[in-house]
């Protein structure tokens, strides 16, 4: 077979043949260059420790540490030339360091391997993302608290099965999401604490004969402790999987809220008005205002879920310690982190800017027989009916209201007494939606007083 036919088999992109294919599949620099700050921080800490332990000279360590800062400044300025031939961020940085400082650069890799180096870089990068997620969640929770406080006594329909159930308050609904995102916040903090261990010094898989001070590099890099097993240190990626798991749960909460905003902002509901900053118009229908930001949040969540599954699939069959498969750990995490941070920021922006339409909320709360449960409860309290019998009487009254084309408060006392003779005029005290929500005073209930207590509790906790 001729060289030309061989090249055609490889396809146009890989016309150079097998070498080009191997370089393309082996190199990770196209994406792991994102870890340059972490890689350089790890190398600076490693060099300082090597000098402190007398493994390299102070002058070599100083040259290395200063040279690494030069490399970082070139990368940040966009002046650094990344090379696919050098495979990854570690080799790219080290090659440039050698051009800057010469022979001392060759001593930087003493007592470490790319295996523990990449594990350290990736942990540092993921830790930074957890810190960013914490900030994003806190900002979103504060925006929700503002909405809850402003609408603590605004009535709206509560739903089950997307059918009108019982009246609740706007503030209570907002606080439900505060609780959800609050649990996300606790998961972020838990995950950060658990993953904050230092792999550096584990070397390739077995540790090293050099007298490293792993406590020193741990302190310098903000880790709580060095990892206790060198095999685990280079092969563990559960910290990244836990990041994706936390992100997936939080993304699910974002998607649920996004779905509600899409429904609520529709012409059929009109519960909220989203700001123009987070909506778009139609190219053909001038009346349209589309909740695009909410819809895109709802869609991006699939990428985060997919990343979680993808990384577990990469890791599930790998023996200890390092395998090249693990190079496929980063792109999914990078993409998921980008989309999670963007979704958090977009949701915070929407919540801060949106306007709840109080009149529409109250009108909807007052329809759909939303106080039927209050009527049943009244029958139990005031007429001593068993709840199942009260439920039956209430159902008959709902059917009568449907037949008359009105809601429960619009039925006459005579209508009600024809269904159950012991009903008296005090029934009307519980049929109003404001009375209904005010009566739900159990802990965690929708009563405005309870909502304000929860807002205050959260503000104190976050302060």
């Amino acid at each position: 077979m001729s060289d030309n036919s061989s090249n055609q088999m490889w396809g146009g992109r890989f016309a150079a043949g097998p070498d080009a294919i191997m370089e393309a599949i082996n190199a990770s620099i196209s994406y792991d260059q994102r870890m340059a700050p972490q890689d350089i921080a790890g190398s600076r800490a490693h060099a300082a420790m090597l000098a402190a332990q007398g493994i390299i000279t102070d002058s070599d360590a100083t040259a290395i540490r200063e040279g690494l800062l030069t490399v970082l400044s070139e990368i940040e300025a966009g002046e650094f030339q990344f090379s696919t031939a050098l495979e990854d961020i570690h080799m790219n940085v080290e090659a440039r360091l050698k051009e800057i400082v010469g022979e001392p650069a060759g001593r930087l890799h003493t007592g470490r391997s790319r295996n523990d180096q990449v594990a350290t870089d990736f942990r540092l990068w993921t830790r930074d993302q957890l810190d960013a997620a914490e900030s994003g969640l806190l900002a979103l929770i504060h925006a929700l608290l503002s909405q809850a406080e402003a609408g603590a006594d605004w009535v709206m329909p509560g739903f089950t099965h997307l059918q009108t159930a019982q009246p609740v308050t706007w503030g209570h609904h907002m606080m439900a999401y505060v609780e959800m995102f609050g649990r996300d916040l606790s998961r972020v903090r838990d995950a950060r604490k658990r993953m904050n261990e230092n792999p550096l010094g584990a070397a390739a898989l077995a540790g090293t004969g050099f007298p490293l001070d792993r406590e020193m590099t741990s302190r310098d890099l903000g880790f709580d402790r060095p990892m206790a097993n060198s095999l685990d240190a280079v092969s563990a990626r559960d910290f990244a999987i836990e990041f994706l798991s936390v992100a997936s749960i939080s993304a699910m909460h974002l998607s649920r809220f996004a779905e509600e905003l899409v429904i609520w902002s529709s012409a059929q509901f009109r519960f909220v008005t989203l700001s123009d900053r987070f909506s778009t118009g139609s190219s053909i229908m001038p009346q349209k205002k589309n909740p695009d930001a909410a819809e895109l949040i709802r869609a991006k969540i699939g990428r985060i879920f997919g990343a979680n599954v993808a990384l577990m699939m990469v890791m599930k069959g790998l023996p200890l310690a390092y395998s090249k498969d693990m190079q496929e750990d980063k792109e999914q995490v990078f993409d998921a982190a980008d989309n999670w941070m963007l979704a958090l920021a977009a949701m915070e922006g929407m919540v801060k800017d949106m306007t709840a339409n109080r009149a529409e909320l109250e009108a909807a709360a007052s329809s759909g027989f939303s106080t039927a449960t209050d009527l049943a409860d009244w029958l139990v309290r005031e007429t001593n009916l068993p709840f199942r019998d009260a439920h039956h009487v209430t159902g008959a009254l709902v059917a009568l209201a449907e037949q008359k084309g009105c809601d429960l408060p619009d039925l006459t006392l005579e209508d009600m007494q024809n269904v159950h003779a012991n009903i008296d005029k005090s029934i009307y005290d519980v049929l109003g939606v404001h009375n209904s929500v005010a009566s739900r005073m159990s802990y965690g209930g929708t009563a405005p007083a309870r909502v304000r207590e929860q807002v205050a509790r959260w503000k104190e906790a976050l302060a």
Side-chain angles (χ1 to χ4, degrees), residues 209-225:
F210 291 100
L212 305 185
D213 184 349
R214 296 187 64 210
E215 295 286 352
M216 178 180 174
T217 54
S218 297
R219 286 192 303 272
D220 285 355
L221 294 171
F223 287 116
D224 294 330
R225 66 192 69 83

Side-chain angles (χ1 to χ4, degrees), residues 137-344:
L137 283 163
L138 283 168
L140 176 53
I141 288 168
H142 280 295
L144 287 163
L145 287 171
S146 295
Q147 286 282 354
E149 192 167 30
D153 58 357
W154 298 2
V155 291
M156 66 176 289
F159 298 96
T160 61
H161 309 278
L162 205 56
Q163 305 294 315
T164 298
Q166 293 174 260
V168 296
T169 58
W170 173 257
H172 194 55
H173 203 114
M174 294 298 101
M175 290 305 295
Y177 283 105
V178 168
E179 293 293 329
M180 290 186 212
F181 293 121
R183 289 192 295 275
D184 293 337
L185 182 63
S186 71
R187 276 184 281 269
V188 163
R189 289 169 172 170
D190 284 350
R192 191 193 193 283
K193 184 177 181 181
R194 194 162 19 256
M195 61 88 71
N196 199 35
E197 296 183 331
N198 182 18
L200 193 60
L205 77 161
T208 177
F210 291 100
L212 305 185
D213 184 349
R214 296 187 64 210
E215 295 286 352
M216 178 180 174
T217 54
S218 297
R219 286 192 303 272
D220 285 355
L221 294 171
F223 287 116
D224 294 330
R225 66 192 69 83
M227 294 186 74
N229 183 284
S230 59
L231 286 167
D232 179 49
V234 299
S235 65
R237 292 298 182 270
D238 55 319
F239 70 90
I241 293 172
E242 186 170 11
F243 172 83
L244 293 174
S245 300
V246 171
S248 294
I249 295 171
S250 178
M252 176 268 293
H253 290 150
L254 288 166
S255 187
R256 292 185 73 182
F257 196 13
E259 171 70 4
E260 294 209 303
L261 293 180
V262 170
I263 293 170
W264 290 353
S265 62
S266 68
Q268 289 70 31
F269 273 73
R270 297 195 297 266
F271 284 5
V272 299
T273 302
L274 300 177
S275 75
D276 290 346
R277 295 202 307 160
F278 293 96
S279 308
T280 64
S282 165
S283 62
I284 191 172
M285 294 168 283
Q287 84 282 9
K288 293 287 293 297
K289 186 175 183 181
N290 301 323
D292 282 11
E295 291 173 348
L296 287 166
I297 289 173
R298 193 174 57 185
K300 284 181 177 295
I301 301 321
R303 295 168 68 157
I304 298 172
F305 289 177
N308 191 17
V309 173
L311 185 51
M312 286 196 289
M313 291 298 291
V314 168
M315 296 302 299
K316 73 173 183 64
L318 298 186
L320 296 181
Y322 182 83
S323 298
K324 192 68 170 179
D325 311 48
M326 292 164 67
Q327 186 168 292
E328 290 297 306
D329 58 358
K330 296 172 199 66
E331 285 181 285
Q332 299 97 319
V333 178
F334 293 165
D335 186 72
D338 289 346
N339 283 285
W340 186 21
M341 303 312 154
L342 183 57
L344 283 169

